[in-house]
Amino acid sequence: MISNQILQTTLEGLKNITRIELCITDTDGKVLAGTFPGAEEYEASALAFADSPADSQVVGGCQFFKVFDENQLEYILLAKGTNDDVYMVGKLAAFQVQNLLTAYKERFDRDNFIKNLLLDNLLLVDIYNRAKKLHIDTDARRVVYIIETKNDREVNVLETVRGFFTGKSRDFVTAVDGRNIILVRELRDGETYDDLDRAAEEILNSLHGAEIANVNIAYGTIVNEIKEVSRSYKEAKMALDVGKIFYSEQNIVAYSRLGIGRLIYQLPIPLCKMFIREIFEGKNPDDFDEETLQTINKFFENSLNVSETSRQLYIHRNTLVYRLDKLQKTTGLDLRVFEDAITFKIALMVVKYMKYMETIDY
């Protein structure tokens, strides 16, 4: 359950303090971690010791100790030396590893609970029973963040994110697939969505500080009961996808601010195609030249203000009016009329959504 890297780090820390060489094997005698070379020569002795009834034993200049997990033998610990000081250090090291086992097992149980909770794999009665057993508050305010990275370096992003939340036992960091890290945050009284944004910024900056680039963060709405955590997770997933389609320039996307993009994302593709055919009468918005697209986007950015748009495009007002008239003749939509502008804006978003869906590899 504990990674060999964690075992190695633990033994090296103990050796630096005590100056005693240590080694850990599994119940078959295979060396998992150690602070001295040649530990493999003790494999046969460790295997024999595992089958013996003794809890500790001196063999070949080493003291052997058994590490149990709920009465089940898990590891054999070796301390090099035979005097009383080595025996005491060996007992302390075995005790430390046993405590690590307990802590990791508890975290494993909590991780499994949170994963099943997010994926809706638990009955309502099981949610509350298991939460009580694991000492998890069922009525706390929580929100779910999804942290997506496209990291090319060999960095354990999950452990990196967990490191940012060390000591925050009320928060949960886990992964339900190989691509995304899930953070279930318990909120303080009075925390608002502005605070959630600031927390996301802190996570983003921390990951960048750890040289983890290309990070996207999405989060759902605040929920008040543990049974609703899965809803916040689904919202965060939608926010991540919708953000890639309509807000690709943003690294942080909140479900509560998705706007009309959330509705378009839930439309079936056949309905989208029918809508585009009716609006553009068989034409493709991608056929618009760069000048027309720039004019359209800038006009929307300036809330349909002709004067401000012409100023920012460095063109005469009459030139902009001419372009809008030309677009009206082509599409039948006058962007200076609010209803037509809304229709045109939605149509462009639908086209963007359709193009995104075509790129998804199912």
Side-chain angles (χ1 to χ4, degrees):
M1 188 183 299
I2 305 175
S3 70
N4 291 354
Q5 182 181 358
I6 296 294
L7 291 173
Q8 184 68 37
T9 302
T10 301
L11 294 191
E12 288 174 355
L14 289 168
K15 181 200 169 180
N16 290 337
I17 296 170
T18 65
R19 300 293 187 265
I20 302 296
E21 301 285 1
L22 300 164
C23 172
I24 286 181
T25 78
D26 60 18
T27 55
D28 294 325
K30 181 182 177 183
V31 175
L32 302 177
T35 62
F36 61 93
E40 289 76 14
E41 67 181 85
Y42 293 98
E43 287 186 1
S45 298
L47 180 58
F49 173 63
D51 293 331
S52 73
D55 288 337
S56 63
Q57 189 176 347
V58 178
V59 179
C62 274
Q63 304 211 31
F64 290 65
F65 303 88
K66 289 180 179 176
V67 179
F68 293 92
D69 178 23
E70 293 185 355
N71 298 319
Q72 177 71 34
L73 181 62
E74 196 72 31
Y75 299 119
I76 304 298
L77 185 136
L78 287 68
K80 209 167 186 182
T82 58
N83 59 38
D84 290 343
D85 288 342
V86 174
Y87 176 82
M88 181 181 67
V89 170
K91 290 290 284 185
L92 286 172
F95 180 73
Q96 174 68 14
V97 173
Q98 190 161 317
N99 282 340
L100 275 177
L101 273 172
T102 302
Y104 269 74
K105 186 174 181 180
E106 181 178 344
R107 192 177 84 178
F108 179 75
D109 288 342
R110 285 177 162 233
D111 274 1
N112 269 345
F113 171 69
I114 292 298
K115 286 178 184 178
N116 286 313
L117 179 66
L118 294 172
L119 297 174
D120 278 334
N121 289 339
L122 297 171
L123 297 174
L124 187 59
V125 65
D126 291 335
I127 291 175
Y128 287 95
N129 287 340
R130 291 187 63 181
K132 182 178 180 181
K133 184 178 179 181
L134 294 168
H135 307 291
I136 297 173
D137 190 353
T138 58
D139 295 323
R141 296 171 72 238
R142 292 184 174 90
V143 69
V144 176
Y145 290 82
I146 296 181
I147 304 162
E148 182 186 67
T149 64
K150 298 175 182 175
N151 197 55
D152 297 327
R153 299 169 63 245
E154 291 186 4
V155 175
N156 189 329
V157 180
L158 177 60
E159 291 301 328
T160 302
V161 175
R162 276 184 175 147
F164 301 147
F165 293 90
T166 300
K168 299 180 181 180
S169 59
R170 295 180 179 273
D171 296 332
F172 300 97
V173 180
T174 188
V176 296
D177 56 43
R179 299 175 55 233
N180 301 320
I181 309 302
I182 314 300
L183 166 64
V184 183
R185 269 197 67 213
E186 183 171 323
L187 307 180
R188 299 183 301 273
D189 290 339
E191 276 197 82
T192 65
Y193 284 99
D194 288 338
D195 297 313
L196 301 190
D197 268 341
R198 282 189 284 272
E201 287 281 359
E202 290 176 7
I203 297 169
L204 190 66
N205 293 335
S206 298
L207 289 172
H208 287 167
E211 299 183 3
I212 300 173
N214 300 319
V215 180
N216 290 316
I217 300 176
Y219 63 88
T221 55
I222 298 171
V223 297
N224 297 307
E225 294 184 57
I226 197 165
K227 67 179 182 180
E228 297 176 330
V229 166
S230 63
R231 173 166 61 82
S232 186
Y233 168 63
K234 289 171 187 150
E235 292 169 348
K237 280 184 68 177
M238 180 183 287
L240 193 66
D241 287 339
V242 174
K244 291 175 184 176
I245 303 171
F246 303 117
Y247 314 106
S248 56
E249 72 285 354
Q250 299 180 24
N251 295 113
I252 298 171
V253 181
Y255 177 82
S256 59
R257 294 198 299 268
L258 292 181
I260 197 170
R262 184 186 1 156
L263 297 177
I264 294 173
Y265 180 76
Q266 298 178 81
L267 293 175
I269 294 298
L271 184 61
C272 292
K273 291 180 178 179
M274 184 187 304
F275 176 70
I276 294 302
R277 281 197 303 269
E278 291 174 356
I279 296 300
F280 294 112
E281 297 180 353
K283 300 182 183 67
N284 191 332
D286 290 339
D287 295 336
F288 293 146
D289 57 64
E290 188 63 32
E291 181 183 83
T292 301
L293 288 173
Q294 183 185 23
T295 301
I296 293 168
N297 291 330
K298 190 62 68 174
F299 194 53
F300 284 137
E301 284 177 19
N302 289 290
S303 303
L304 314 185
N305 187 307
V306 173
S307 299
E308 183 61 22
T309 302
S310 59
R311 187 185 69 81
Q312 291 189 20
L313 289 174
Y314 303 104
I315 60 176
H316 193 276
R317 177 189 175 94
N318 291 341
T319 303
L320 176 58
V321 171
Y322 168 76
R323 292 181 184 177
L324 295 175
D325 287 341
K326 182 180 176 182
L327 186 65
Q328 181 182 3
K329 290 177 182 178
T330 304
T331 64
L333 296 172
D334 185 355
L335 298 194
R336 290 158 292 189
V337 177
F338 181 75
E339 186 174 340
D340 285 358
I342 288 292
T343 302
F344 200 96
K345 177 67 173 177
I346 291 174
L348 290 180
M349 292 179 72
V350 168
V351 169
K352 186 178 285 189
Y353 164 62
M354 290 167 58
K355 289 174 67 175
Y356 174 81
M357 296 303 290
E358 289 174 358
T359 65
I360 294 179
D361 183 20
Y362 288 102

